[in-house]
Amino acid sequence: MRIHSINTSGKILANASVTLGGCFAVRNLRIVDGSKGLFVSMPSYRTDEGLKDVCFPCTKEFRQQFQNTVLAAYRQEMARLHEPQAHERPRQRESSGFEERAAPGPADTPEETPPDGLEEESHSPGGMAMQ
């Protein structure tokens, strides 16, 4: 499932694409903010009688499951977009009890030594030691 073309205004909030069972792809789904809440609009075409869905769930149960899954993916994408990114600074710094200290210098850090048994060297022809 892929949520894309997210809008911040209007009734169409986003578009979605879904692949069912790795066998059937549905494109141009729309997530719509209707008078009764969010719903998923299937791809459609215009006729003299109005809009006709290109494809659609055949049972009420599958329609509900399909809609719930698409709307859950939309909500998850919206939550992800509102999370601060790694390259962004937090908007407001909260007091966390963290004390700022200077990083230890070379004299302050203990020298690391490898665990016993890892210092073995193999000698190659020509007298050069390889680690």
Side-chain angles (χ1 to χ4, degrees), residues 49-98:
E49 294 89 37
L51 293 175
K52 298 281 185 180
D53 287 344
V54 173
C55 57
F56 50 88
C58 294
T59 66
K60 181 179 177 179
E61 295 79 17
F62 185 72
R63 177 179 297 277
Q64 190 64 45
Q65 179 185 2
F66 186 82
Q67 181 160 296
N68 289 345
T69 303
V70 173
L71 292 178
Y74 168 74
R75 289 182 182 106
Q76 182 178 2
E77 181 66 14
M78 292 302 292
R80 188 189 68 77
L81 289 175
H82 286 86
E83 290 176 356
Q85 301 297 316
H87 64 278
E88 294 179 352
R89 288 188 167 174
R91 292 185 183 140
Q92 180 179 7
R93 184 173 180 170
E94 296 179 12
S95 175
S96 64
F98 175 74

mmCIF file of all heavy atoms in Angstrom, residues 49-98:
data_model
loop_
_atom_site.group_PDB
_atom_site.id
_atom_site.type_symbol
_atom_site.label_atom_id
_atom_site.label_comp_id
_atom_site.label_asym_id
_atom_site.label_seq_id
_atom_site.Cartn_x
_atom_site.Cartn_y
_atom_site.Cartn_z
ATOM 1 N N GLU A 49 -25.020 9.031 -16.564
ATOM 2 C CA GLU A 49 -25.762 8.821 -15.315
ATOM 3 C C GLU A 49 -24.965 9.236 -14.078
ATOM 4 O O GLU A 49 -25.471 9.180 -12.963
ATOM 5 C CB GLU A 49 -26.157 7.345 -15.159
ATOM 6 C CG GLU A 49 -27.153 6.854 -16.190
ATOM 7 C CD GLU A 49 -26.456 6.323 -17.428
ATOM 8 O OE1 GLU A 49 -25.378 5.702 -17.307
ATOM 9 O OE2 GLU A 49 -26.998 6.529 -18.526
ATOM 10 N N GLY A 50 -23.711 9.611 -14.221
ATOM 11 C CA GLY A 50 -22.883 9.995 -13.070
ATOM 12 C C GLY A 50 -21.583 9.223 -13.066
ATOM 13 O O GLY A 50 -21.109 8.762 -14.101
ATOM 14 N N LEU A 51 -21.001 9.059 -11.884
ATOM 15 C CA LEU A 51 -19.724 8.341 -11.758
ATOM 16 C C LEU A 51 -19.963 6.850 -11.570
ATOM 17 O O LEU A 51 -20.885 6.439 -10.865
ATOM 18 C CB LEU A 51 -18.930 8.879 -10.571
ATOM 19 C CG LEU A 51 -18.414 10.313 -10.694
ATOM 20 C CD1 LEU A 51 -17.757 10.747 -9.396
ATOM 21 C CD2 LEU A 51 -17.440 10.439 -11.842
ATOM 22 N N LYS A 52 -19.111 6.053 -12.206
ATOM 23 C CA LYS A 52 -19.150 4.590 -12.063
ATOM 24 C C LYS A 52 -17.788 4.125 -11.590
ATOM 25 O O LYS A 52 -16.756 4.544 -12.138
ATOM 26 C CB LYS A 52 -19.462 3.908 -13.406
ATOM 27 C CG LYS A 52 -20.780 4.247 -13.991
ATOM 28 C CD LYS A 52 -21.867 3.467 -13.304
ATOM 29 C CE LYS A 52 -23.193 3.737 -14.013
ATOM 30 N NZ LYS A 52 -24.269 3.027 -13.396
ATOM 31 N N ASP A 53 -17.762 3.269 -10.562
ATOM 32 C CA ASP A 53 -16.500 2.714 -10.084
ATOM 33 C C ASP A 53 -15.904 1.775 -11.125
ATOM 34 O O ASP A 53 -16.611 0.977 -11.737
ATOM 35 C CB ASP A 53 -16.705 1.940 -8.776
ATOM 36 C CG ASP A 53 -16.957 2.846 -7.591
ATOM 37 O OD1 ASP A 53 -16.685 4.060 -7.699
ATOM 38 O OD2 ASP A 53 -17.400 2.352 -6.550
ATOM 39 N N VAL A 54 -14.584 1.891 -11.312
ATOM 40 C CA VAL A 54 -13.872 1.003 -12.226
ATOM 41 C C VAL A 54 -13.776 -0.389 -11.610
ATOM 42 O O VAL A 54 -13.952 -1.398 -12.277
ATOM 43 C CB VAL A 54 -12.468 1.563 -12.538
ATOM 44 C CG1 VAL A 54 -11.644 0.583 -13.351
ATOM 45 C CG2 VAL A 54 -12.574 2.894 -13.245
ATOM 46 N N CYS A 55 -13.487 -0.435 -10.336
ATOM 47 C CA CYS A 55 -13.416 -1.696 -9.592
ATOM 48 C C CYS A 55 -13.970 -1.420 -8.204
ATOM 49 O O CYS A 55 -14.016 -0.276 -7.760
ATOM 50 C CB CYS A 55 -11.992 -2.235 -9.533
ATOM 51 S SG CYS A 55 -10.822 -1.084 -8.816
ATOM 52 N N PHE A 56 -14.393 -2.474 -7.520
ATOM 53 C CA PHE A 56 -15.029 -2.272 -6.215
ATOM 54 C C PHE A 56 -15.081 -3.585 -5.447
ATOM 55 O O PHE A 56 -15.083 -4.664 -6.047
ATOM 56 C CB PHE A 56 -16.452 -1.720 -6.389
ATOM 57 C CG PHE A 56 -17.274 -2.498 -7.373
ATOM 58 C CD1 PHE A 56 -18.014 -3.609 -6.989
ATOM 59 C CD2 PHE A 56 -17.293 -2.125 -8.714
ATOM 60 C CE1 PHE A 56 -18.755 -4.322 -7.903
ATOM 61 C CE2 PHE A 56 -18.034 -2.833 -9.638
ATOM 62 C CZ PHE A 56 -18.774 -3.938 -9.234
ATOM 63 N N PRO A 57 -15.106 -3.488 -4.105
ATOM 64 C CA PRO A 57 -15.286 -4.702 -3.295
ATOM 65 C C PRO A 57 -16.698 -5.256 -3.530
ATOM 66 O O PRO A 57 -17.664 -4.501 -3.642
ATOM 67 C CB PRO A 57 -15.134 -4.194 -1.856
ATOM 68 C CG PRO A 57 -14.399 -2.900 -1.985
ATOM 69 C CD PRO A 57 -14.832 -2.314 -3.294
ATOM 70 N N CYS A 58 -16.810 -6.570 -3.595
ATOM 71 C CA CYS A 58 -18.101 -7.199 -3.893
ATOM 72 C C CYS A 58 -18.953 -7.457 -2.663
ATOM 73 O O CYS A 58 -20.154 -7.658 -2.791
ATOM 74 C CB CYS A 58 -17.884 -8.510 -4.652
ATOM 75 S SG CYS A 58 -17.183 -8.237 -6.289
ATOM 76 N N THR A 59 -18.326 -7.479 -1.485
ATOM 77 C CA THR A 59 -19.114 -7.722 -0.267
ATOM 78 C C THR A 59 -18.956 -6.556 0.703
ATOM 79 O O THR A 59 -17.948 -5.837 0.683
ATOM 80 C CB THR A 59 -18.662 -9.011 0.457
ATOM 81 O OG1 THR A 59 -17.332 -8.833 0.940
ATOM 82 C CG2 THR A 59 -18.733 -10.227 -0.467
ATOM 83 N N LYS A 60 -19.963 -6.393 1.535
ATOM 84 C CA LYS A 60 -19.942 -5.333 2.551
ATOM 85 C C LYS A 60 -18.770 -5.539 3.510
ATOM 86 O O LYS A 60 -18.083 -4.581 3.887
ATOM 87 C CB LYS A 60 -21.265 -5.350 3.311
ATOM 88 C CG LYS A 60 -21.380 -4.290 4.356
ATOM 89 C CD LYS A 60 -22.736 -4.363 5.053
ATOM 90 C CE LYS A 60 -22.827 -3.332 6.151
ATOM 91 N NZ LYS A 60 -24.127 -3.366 6.819
ATOM 92 N N GLU A 61 -18.509 -6.796 3.876
ATOM 93 C CA GLU A 61 -17.430 -7.113 4.807
ATOM 94 C C GLU A 61 -16.056 -6.746 4.230
ATOM 95 O O GLU A 61 -15.219 -6.166 4.911
ATOM 96 C CB GLU A 61 -17.445 -8.601 5.202
ATOM 97 C CG GLU A 61 -18.672 -9.027 5.976
ATOM 98 C CD GLU A 61 -19.899 -9.264 5.094
ATOM 99 O OE1 GLU A 61 -19.758 -9.417 3.870
ATOM 100 O OE2 GLU A 61 -21.012 -9.276 5.650
ATOM 101 N N PHE A 62 -15.837 -7.104 2.948
ATOM 102 C CA PHE A 62 -14.550 -6.786 2.351
ATOM 103 C C PHE A 62 -14.413 -5.284 2.122
ATOM 104 O O PHE A 62 -13.340 -4.719 2.286
ATOM 105 C CB PHE A 62 -14.312 -7.544 1.043
ATOM 106 C CG PHE A 62 -12.927 -7.298 0.498
ATOM 107 C CD1 PHE A 62 -11.820 -7.851 1.122
ATOM 108 C CD2 PHE A 62 -12.722 -6.464 -0.589
ATOM 109 C CE1 PHE A 62 -10.534 -7.601 0.665
ATOM 110 C CE2 PHE A 62 -11.441 -6.211 -1.055
ATOM 111 C CZ PHE A 62 -10.346 -6.779 -0.426
ATOM 112 N N ARG A 63 -15.497 -4.609 1.776
ATOM 113 C CA ARG A 63 -15.452 -3.153 1.609
ATOM 114 C C ARG A 63 -14.999 -2.508 2.919
ATOM 115 O O ARG A 63 -14.146 -1.633 2.922
ATOM 116 C CB ARG A 63 -16.805 -2.591 1.193
ATOM 117 C CG ARG A 63 -16.807 -1.057 1.094
ATOM 118 C CD ARG A 63 -18.150 -0.498 0.650
ATOM 119 N NE ARG A 63 -18.521 -0.912 -0.674
ATOM 120 C CZ ARG A 63 -18.099 -0.332 -1.806
ATOM 121 N NH1 ARG A 63 -17.277 0.675 -1.751
ATOM 122 N NH2 ARG A 63 -18.501 -0.784 -2.970
ATOM 123 N N GLN A 64 -15.552 -2.946 4.045
ATOM 124 C CA GLN A 64 -15.198 -2.382 5.348
ATOM 125 C C GLN A 64 -13.737 -2.682 5.690
ATOM 126 O O GLN A 64 -13.004 -1.806 6.141
ATOM 127 C CB GLN A 64 -16.126 -2.934 6.445
ATOM 128 C CG GLN A 64 -15.984 -2.220 7.764
ATOM 129 C CD GLN A 64 -16.393 -0.761 7.662
ATOM 130 O OE1 GLN A 64 -17.415 -0.420 7.082
ATOM 131 N NE2 GLN A 64 -15.574 0.116 8.215
ATOM 132 N N GLN A 65 -13.308 -3.916 5.460
ATOM 133 C CA GLN A 65 -11.921 -4.290 5.722
ATOM 134 C C GLN A 65 -10.961 -3.486 4.843
ATOM 135 O O GLN A 65 -9.945 -2.976 5.311
ATOM 136 C CB GLN A 65 -11.722 -5.782 5.479
ATOM 137 C CG GLN A 65 -10.305 -6.251 5.710
ATOM 138 C CD GLN A 65 -10.116 -7.722 5.348
ATOM 139 O OE1 GLN A 65 -11.031 -8.391 4.891
ATOM 140 N NE2 GLN A 65 -8.917 -8.226 5.555
ATOM 141 N N PHE A 66 -11.297 -3.335 3.574
ATOM 142 C CA PHE A 66 -10.472 -2.588 2.624
ATOM 143 C C PHE A 66 -10.355 -1.125 3.060
ATOM 144 O O PHE A 66 -9.271 -0.558 3.145
ATOM 145 C CB PHE A 66 -11.105 -2.691 1.227
ATOM 146 C CG PHE A 66 -10.285 -2.083 0.141
ATOM 147 C CD1 PHE A 66 -9.241 -2.787 -0.434
ATOM 148 C CD2 PHE A 66 -10.569 -0.815 -0.336
ATOM 149 C CE1 PHE A 66 -8.479 -2.236 -1.455
ATOM 150 C CE2 PHE A 66 -9.812 -0.254 -1.350
ATOM 151 C CZ PHE A 66 -8.773 -0.963 -1.918
ATOM 152 N N GLN A 67 -11.490 -0.526 3.387
ATOM 153 C CA GLN A 67 -11.504 0.873 3.807
ATOM 154 C C GLN A 67 -10.718 1.064 5.099
ATOM 155 O O GLN A 67 -9.920 1.999 5.214
ATOM 156 C CB GLN A 67 -12.944 1.358 3.979
ATOM 157 C CG GLN A 67 -13.029 2.808 4.402
ATOM 158 C CD GLN A 67 -14.373 3.407 4.112
ATOM 159 O OE1 GLN A 67 -14.750 3.513 2.950
ATOM 160 N NE2 GLN A 67 -15.082 3.789 5.146
ATOM 161 N N ASN A 68 -10.909 0.188 6.083
ATOM 162 C CA ASN A 68 -10.177 0.291 7.352
ATOM 163 C C ASN A 68 -8.668 0.193 7.135
ATOM 164 O O ASN A 68 -7.896 0.924 7.759
ATOM 165 C CB ASN A 68 -10.627 -0.795 8.325
ATOM 166 C CG ASN A 68 -12.027 -0.557 8.851
ATOM 167 O OD1 ASN A 68 -12.581 0.530 8.731
ATOM 168 N ND2 ASN A 68 -12.614 -1.595 9.428
ATOM 169 N N THR A 69 -8.247 -0.697 6.248
ATOM 170 C CA THR A 69 -6.815 -0.879 5.978
ATOM 171 C C THR A 69 -6.215 0.350 5.298
ATOM 172 O O THR A 69 -5.140 0.820 5.682
ATOM 173 C CB THR A 69 -6.595 -2.134 5.114
ATOM 174 O OG1 THR A 69 -7.156 -3.259 5.792
ATOM 175 C CG2 THR A 69 -5.123 -2.386 4.867
ATOM 176 N N VAL A 70 -6.904 0.900 4.316
ATOM 177 C CA VAL A 70 -6.404 2.082 3.609
ATOM 178 C C VAL A 70 -6.370 3.282 4.559
ATOM 179 O O VAL A 70 -5.381 4.026 4.600
ATOM 180 C CB VAL A 70 -7.252 2.388 2.354
ATOM 181 C CG1 VAL A 70 -6.845 3.714 1.730
ATOM 182 C CG2 VAL A 70 -7.126 1.257 1.344
ATOM 183 N N LEU A 71 -7.415 3.473 5.349
ATOM 184 C CA LEU A 71 -7.453 4.612 6.277
ATOM 185 C C LEU A 71 -6.404 4.474 7.379
ATOM 186 O O LEU A 71 -5.808 5.463 7.793
ATOM 187 C CB LEU A 71 -8.848 4.775 6.879
ATOM 188 C CG LEU A 71 -9.931 5.206 5.884
ATOM 189 C CD1 LEU A 71 -11.283 5.292 6.575
ATOM 190 C CD2 LEU A 71 -9.573 6.516 5.198
ATOM 191 N N ALA A 72 -6.134 3.255 7.824
ATOM 192 C CA ALA A 72 -5.073 3.039 8.825
ATOM 193 C C ALA A 72 -3.713 3.412 8.235
ATOM 194 O O ALA A 72 -2.882 4.039 8.904
ATOM 195 C CB ALA A 72 -5.075 1.589 9.300
ATOM 196 N N ALA A 73 -3.479 3.052 6.974
ATOM 197 C CA ALA A 73 -2.216 3.411 6.313
ATOM 198 C C ALA A 73 -2.116 4.930 6.159
ATOM 199 O O ALA A 73 -1.039 5.516 6.335
ATOM 200 C CB ALA A 73 -2.117 2.725 4.954
ATOM 201 N N TYR A 74 -3.225 5.593 5.861
ATOM 202 C CA TYR A 74 -3.236 7.053 5.737
ATOM 203 C C TYR A 74 -2.896 7.695 7.085
ATOM 204 O O TYR A 74 -2.056 8.585 7.159
ATOM 205 C CB TYR A 74 -4.604 7.523 5.249
ATOM 206 C CG TYR A 74 -4.797 9.011 5.364
ATOM 207 C CD1 TYR A 74 -4.153 9.886 4.484
ATOM 208 C CD2 TYR A 74 -5.618 9.555 6.341
ATOM 209 C CE1 TYR A 74 -4.318 11.256 4.601
ATOM 210 C CE2 TYR A 74 -5.788 10.923 6.462
ATOM 211 C CZ TYR A 74 -5.136 11.773 5.587
ATOM 212 O OH TYR A 74 -5.287 13.123 5.701
ATOM 213 N N ARG A 75 -3.522 7.227 8.144
ATOM 214 C CA ARG A 75 -3.249 7.791 9.479
ATOM 215 C C ARG A 75 -1.796 7.549 9.891
ATOM 216 O O ARG A 75 -1.155 8.412 10.479
ATOM 217 C CB ARG A 75 -4.211 7.201 10.498
ATOM 218 C CG ARG A 75 -5.628 7.708 10.318
ATOM 219 C CD ARG A 75 -6.594 7.163 11.369
ATOM 220 N NE ARG A 75 -7.924 7.640 11.130
ATOM 221 C CZ ARG A 75 -8.924 6.902 10.630
ATOM 222 N NH1 ARG A 75 -8.724 5.619 10.352
ATOM 223 N NH2 ARG A 75 -10.104 7.424 10.418
ATOM 224 N N GLN A 76 -1.273 6.389 9.567
ATOM 225 C CA GLN A 76 0.124 6.080 9.882
ATOM 226 C C GLN A 76 1.067 7.004 9.105
ATOM 227 O O GLN A 76 2.044 7.505 9.652
ATOM 228 C CB GLN A 76 0.419 4.619 9.552
ATOM 229 C CG GLN A 76 1.816 4.183 9.895
ATOM 230 C CD GLN A 76 2.032 2.706 9.600
ATOM 231 O OE1 GLN A 76 1.158 2.007 9.111
ATOM 232 N NE2 GLN A 76 3.214 2.230 9.889
ATOM 233 N N GLU A 77 0.771 7.258 7.851
ATOM 234 C CA GLU A 77 1.596 8.157 7.038
ATOM 235 C C GLU A 77 1.521 9.580 7.582
ATOM 236 O O GLU A 77 2.532 10.284 7.638
ATOM 237 C CB GLU A 77 1.142 8.118 5.576
ATOM 238 C CG GLU A 77 1.945 8.986 4.653
ATOM 239 C CD GLU A 77 3.396 8.555 4.489
ATOM 240 O OE1 GLU A 77 3.751 7.433 4.873
ATOM 241 O OE2 GLU A 77 4.193 9.344 3.960
ATOM 242 N N MET A 78 0.346 10.020 7.998
ATOM 243 C CA MET A 78 0.205 11.364 8.567
ATOM 244 C C MET A 78 1.005 11.470 9.863
ATOM 245 O O MET A 78 1.665 12.480 10.104
ATOM 246 C CB MET A 78 -1.268 11.698 8.825
ATOM 247 C CG MET A 78 -2.076 11.843 7.546
ATOM 248 S SD MET A 78 -1.430 13.105 6.428
ATOM 249 C CE MET A 78 -1.749 14.579 7.363
ATOM 250 N N ALA A 79 0.976 10.452 10.701
ATOM 251 C CA ALA A 79 1.753 10.457 11.951
ATOM 252 C C ALA A 79 3.242 10.495 11.640
ATOM 253 O O ALA A 79 4.009 11.205 12.292
ATOM 254 C CB ALA A 79 1.405 9.227 12.789
ATOM 255 N N ARG A 80 3.668 9.742 10.639
ATOM 256 C CA ARG A 80 5.078 9.725 10.258
ATOM 257 C C ARG A 80 5.525 11.097 9.762
ATOM 258 O O ARG A 80 6.620 11.559 10.077
ATOM 259 C CB ARG A 80 5.320 8.677 9.168
ATOM 260 C CG ARG A 80 6.796 8.457 8.840
ATOM 261 C CD ARG A 80 6.985 7.574 7.620
ATOM 262 N NE ARG A 80 6.555 8.185 6.394
ATOM 263 C CZ ARG A 80 7.250 9.121 5.731
ATOM 264 N NH1 ARG A 80 8.397 9.549 6.187
ATOM 265 N NH2 ARG A 80 6.779 9.630 4.609
ATOM 266 N N LEU A 81 4.676 11.770 9.009
ATOM 267 C CA LEU A 81 5.024 13.089 8.480
ATOM 268 C C LEU A 81 5.145 14.140 9.581
ATOM 269 O O LEU A 81 5.851 15.120 9.426
ATOM 270 C CB LEU A 81 3.988 13.542 7.446
ATOM 271 C CG LEU A 81 4.009 12.788 6.133
ATOM 272 C CD1 LEU A 81 2.859 13.231 5.244
ATOM 273 C CD2 LEU A 81 5.329 12.980 5.419
ATOM 274 N N HIS A 82 4.442 13.924 10.686
ATOM 275 C CA HIS A 82 4.479 14.889 11.785
ATOM 276 C C HIS A 82 5.596 14.615 12.783
ATOM 277 O O HIS A 82 5.804 15.397 13.694
ATOM 278 C CB HIS A 82 3.121 14.937 12.490
ATOM 279 C CG HIS A 82 2.090 15.651 11.678
ATOM 280 N ND1 HIS A 82 1.336 15.008 10.716
ATOM 281 C CD2 HIS A 82 1.715 16.953 11.637
ATOM 282 C CE1 HIS A 82 0.535 15.876 10.149
ATOM 283 N NE2 HIS A 82 0.739 17.068 10.682
ATOM 284 N N GLU A 83 6.315 13.493 12.637
ATOM 285 C CA GLU A 83 7.453 13.199 13.508
ATOM 286 C C GLU A 83 8.635 14.058 13.080
ATOM 287 O O GLU A 83 8.853 14.261 11.887
ATOM 288 C CB GLU A 83 7.870 11.720 13.389
ATOM 289 C CG GLU A 83 6.887 10.766 13.969
ATOM 290 C CD GLU A 83 7.308 9.326 13.734
ATOM 291 O OE1 GLU A 83 8.334 9.076 13.057
ATOM 292 O OE2 GLU A 83 6.601 8.441 14.219
ATOM 293 N N PRO A 84 9.428 14.573 14.051
ATOM 294 C CA PRO A 84 10.617 15.325 13.652
ATOM 295 C C PRO A 84 11.599 14.398 12.945
ATOM 296 O O PRO A 84 11.778 13.256 13.342
ATOM 297 C CB PRO A 84 11.209 15.831 14.963
ATOM 298 C CG PRO A 84 10.369 15.295 16.055
ATOM 299 C CD PRO A 84 9.252 14.497 15.465
ATOM 300 N N GLN A 85 12.193 14.890 11.878
ATOM 301 C CA GLN A 85 13.176 14.111 11.135
ATOM 302 C C GLN A 85 14.521 14.201 11.836
ATOM 303 O O GLN A 85 14.765 15.107 12.615
ATOM 304 C CB GLN A 85 13.287 14.635 9.702
ATOM 305 C CG GLN A 85 11.977 14.584 8.946
ATOM 306 C CD GLN A 85 11.457 13.178 8.762
ATOM 307 O OE1 GLN A 85 12.225 12.283 8.434
ATOM 308 N NE2 GLN A 85 10.185 12.966 8.979
ATOM 309 N N ALA A 86 15.421 13.296 11.537
ATOM 310 C CA ALA A 86 16.734 13.243 12.184
ATOM 311 C C ALA A 86 17.527 14.522 11.943
ATOM 312 O O ALA A 86 18.287 14.948 12.799
ATOM 313 C CB ALA A 86 17.516 12.038 11.679
ATOM 314 N N HIS A 87 17.352 15.157 10.793
ATOM 315 C CA HIS A 87 18.114 16.359 10.488
ATOM 316 C C HIS A 87 17.466 17.626 11.044
ATOM 317 O O HIS A 87 18.036 18.693 10.975
ATOM 318 C CB HIS A 87 18.312 16.489 8.974
ATOM 319 C CG HIS A 87 17.027 16.670 8.225
ATOM 320 N ND1 HIS A 87 16.231 15.604 7.898
ATOM 321 C CD2 HIS A 87 16.393 17.767 7.772
ATOM 322 C CE1 HIS A 87 15.157 16.045 7.252
ATOM 323 N NE2 HIS A 87 15.234 17.356 7.171
ATOM 324 N N GLU A 88 16.245 17.523 11.609
ATOM 325 C CA GLU A 88 15.572 18.681 12.175
ATOM 326 C C GLU A 88 15.879 18.810 13.652
ATOM 327 O O GLU A 88 16.066 17.825 14.346
ATOM 328 C CB GLU A 88 14.051 18.540 12.013
ATOM 329 C CG GLU A 88 13.583 18.582 10.585
ATOM 330 C CD GLU A 88 12.083 18.408 10.481
ATOM 331 O OE1 GLU A 88 11.439 18.111 11.513
ATOM 332 O OE2 GLU A 88 11.553 18.562 9.385
ATOM 333 N N ARG A 89 15.895 20.023 14.122
ATOM 334 C CA ARG A 89 16.034 20.250 15.554
ATOM 335 C C ARG A 89 14.653 20.186 16.184
ATOM 336 O O ARG A 89 13.665 20.575 15.560
ATOM 337 C CB ARG A 89 16.631 21.624 15.815
ATOM 338 C CG ARG A 89 18.071 21.697 15.454
ATOM 339 C CD ARG A 89 18.615 22.997 15.922
ATOM 340 N NE ARG A 89 20.064 22.939 15.839
ATOM 341 C CZ ARG A 89 20.837 23.958 16.074
ATOM 342 N NH1 ARG A 89 20.325 25.115 16.404
ATOM 343 N NH2 ARG A 89 22.122 23.827 15.986
ATOM 344 N N PRO A 90 14.576 19.723 17.427
ATOM 345 C CA PRO A 90 13.277 19.730 18.102
ATOM 346 C C PRO A 90 12.759 21.161 18.202
ATOM 347 O O PRO A 90 13.530 22.104 18.351
ATOM 348 C CB PRO A 90 13.578 19.159 19.495
ATOM 349 C CG PRO A 90 14.898 18.479 19.357
ATOM 350 C CD PRO A 90 15.622 19.151 18.233
ATOM 351 N N ARG A 91 11.434 21.313 18.114
ATOM 352 C CA ARG A 91 10.842 22.648 18.136
ATOM 353 C C ARG A 91 11.043 23.331 19.484
ATOM 354 O O ARG A 91 11.235 24.515 19.567
ATOM 355 C CB ARG A 91 9.360 22.556 17.816
ATOM 356 C CG ARG A 91 9.136 22.140 16.392
ATOM 357 C CD ARG A 91 7.676 22.175 16.042
ATOM 358 N NE ARG A 91 7.522 21.705 14.678
ATOM 359 C CZ ARG A 91 6.557 20.924 14.284
ATOM 360 N NH1 ARG A 91 5.636 20.529 15.109
ATOM 361 N NH2 ARG A 91 6.494 20.543 13.039
ATOM 362 N N GLN A 92 10.956 22.580 20.553
ATOM 363 C CA GLN A 92 11.110 23.158 21.882
ATOM 364 C C GLN A 92 11.914 22.183 22.722
ATOM 365 O O GLN A 92 11.626 21.001 22.759
ATOM 366 C CB GLN A 92 9.733 23.383 22.511
ATOM 367 C CG GLN A 92 9.804 23.986 23.882
ATOM 368 C CD GLN A 92 8.415 24.215 24.445
ATOM 369 O OE1 GLN A 92 7.430 23.812 23.853
ATOM 370 N NE2 GLN A 92 8.341 24.830 25.581
ATOM 371 N N ARG A 93 12.913 22.689 23.390
ATOM 372 C CA ARG A 93 13.745 21.823 24.205
ATOM 373 C C ARG A 93 13.123 21.695 25.577
ATOM 374 O O ARG A 93 12.870 22.680 26.250
ATOM 375 C CB ARG A 93 15.149 22.389 24.306
ATOM 376 C CG ARG A 93 16.059 21.461 25.051
ATOM 377 C CD ARG A 93 17.444 21.970 24.988
ATOM 378 N NE ARG A 93 18.295 21.048 25.710
ATOM 379 C CZ ARG A 93 19.588 21.103 25.691
ATOM 380 N NH1 ARG A 93 20.187 22.024 24.989
ATOM 381 N NH2 ARG A 93 20.305 20.248 26.374
ATOM 382 N N GLU A 94 12.868 20.475 25.980
ATOM 383 C CA GLU A 94 12.297 20.228 27.290
ATOM 384 C C GLU A 94 13.409 19.916 28.272
ATOM 385 O O GLU A 94 14.447 19.390 27.908
ATOM 386 C CB GLU A 94 11.334 19.035 27.236
ATOM 387 C CG GLU A 94 10.146 19.293 26.345
ATOM 388 C CD GLU A 94 9.229 18.092 26.285
ATOM 389 O OE1 GLU A 94 9.405 17.165 27.100
ATOM 390 O OE2 GLU A 94 8.345 18.091 25.428
ATOM 391 N N SER A 95 13.175 20.252 29.529
ATOM 392 C CA SER A 95 14.145 19.935 30.568
ATOM 393 C C SER A 95 14.081 18.439 30.827
ATOM 394 O O SER A 95 13.045 17.909 31.214
ATOM 395 C CB SER A 95 13.806 20.701 31.844
ATOM 396 O OG SER A 95 14.665 20.297 32.870
ATOM 397 N N SER A 96 15.191 17.755 30.575
ATOM 398 C CA SER A 96 15.198 16.304 30.746
ATOM 399 C C SER A 96 16.132 15.870 31.862
ATOM 400 O O SER A 96 16.326 14.688 32.080
ATOM 401 C CB SER A 96 15.630 15.639 29.435
ATOM 402 O OG SER A 96 16.956 16.007 29.140
ATOM 403 N N GLY A 97 16.731 16.835 32.552
ATOM 404 C CA GLY A 97 17.673 16.483 33.596
ATOM 405 C C GLY A 97 19.051 16.181 33.043
ATOM 406 O O GLY A 97 19.952 15.819 33.779
ATOM 407 N N PHE A 98 19.237 16.323 31.754
ATOM 408 C CA PHE A 98 20.524 16.048 31.115
ATOM 409 C C PHE A 98 21.459 17.216 31.379
ATOM 410 O O PHE A 98 21.123 18.361 31.139
ATOM 411 C CB PHE A 98 20.318 15.866 29.604
ATOM 412 C CG PHE A 98 21.596 15.689 28.839
ATOM 413 C CD1 PHE A 98 22.289 14.497 28.907
ATOM 414 C CD2 PHE A 98 22.110 16.706 28.060
ATOM 415 C CE1 PHE A 98 23.459 14.321 28.198
ATOM 416 C CE2 PHE A 98 23.279 16.547 27.347
ATOM 417 C CZ PHE A 98 23.957 15.345 27.420
#
